[in-house]
Amino acid sequence: MMEKLTPEPEALIPVYLEKWRKIALSTEPLDREKATEAVRGAYDMMGMIKWPEILFFDSPYAVFRAIEWIEIICYRLVYEELYTEVRGKLSEQRSEKVSHEIHGWLDWGLYE
């Protein structure tokens, strides 16, 4: 195992730093086909059977807006499901309590 870089690879560090800095700060449009192939290739190499759905956006702001919408939709779905479940349980409990009380009143009235 190498513990220290030789002078030649060490001299290339600034070159690679500049290369990847330019890539990271690039505002050029993404080649969506190449990106999709790269993601799918990575999944294939990891032995993953199913590829993820790959979404592309025109800007970071568009991603932010999409995430907001997803959060709102998920919140509403979860809220509605929980609300329905809680309302149903409360309804059941109220019905059981009222039924129990009515039976109690009837029993009390019949057996006195």
Side-chain angles (χ1 to χ4, degrees):
M1 182 163 154
M2 187 186 332
E3 292 185 23
K4 186 175 179 182
L5 289 175
T6 60
E8 294 83 19
E10 192 167 353
L12 291 173
I13 291 175
V15 174
Y16 284 108
L17 285 174
E18 182 60 22
K19 173 188 173 182
W20 287 105
R21 186 187 71 74
K22 283 182 181 178
I23 291 170
L25 299 176
S26 173
T27 58
E28 292 296 314
L30 178 69
D31 182 334
R32 293 177 178 193
E33 189 174 315
K34 281 175 103 175
T36 299
E37 288 174 15
V39 170
R40 290 178 175 172
Y43 270 73
D44 289 343
M45 285 177 26
M46 292 186 294
M48 306 293 278
I49 296 170
K50 187 176 178 188
W51 293 331
E53 181 177 354
I54 301 169
L55 303 174
F56 293 99
F57 296 90
D58 292 330
S59 69
Y61 181 72
V63 174
F64 175 74
R65 295 295 300 164
I67 290 170
E68 277 187 329
W69 277 107
I70 290 168
E71 287 175 344
I72 289 168
I73 290 166
C74 288
Y75 173 80
R76 286 184 180 161
L77 290 173
V78 168
Y79 173 81
E80 287 174 10
E81 186 175 322
L82 285 174
Y83 176 78
T84 302
E85 185 176 335
V86 168
R87 188 180 67 198
K89 294 237 186 263
L90 288 174
S91 243
E92 287 172 21
Q93 288 174 354
R94 271 185 278 152
S95 293
E96 287 174 14
K97 185 176 180 182
V98 168
S99 176
H100 181 72
E101 287 182 14
I102 290 172
H103 285 297
W105 293 333
L106 290 173
D107 289 344
W108 182 74
L110 292 175
Y111 298 112
E112 256 191 25

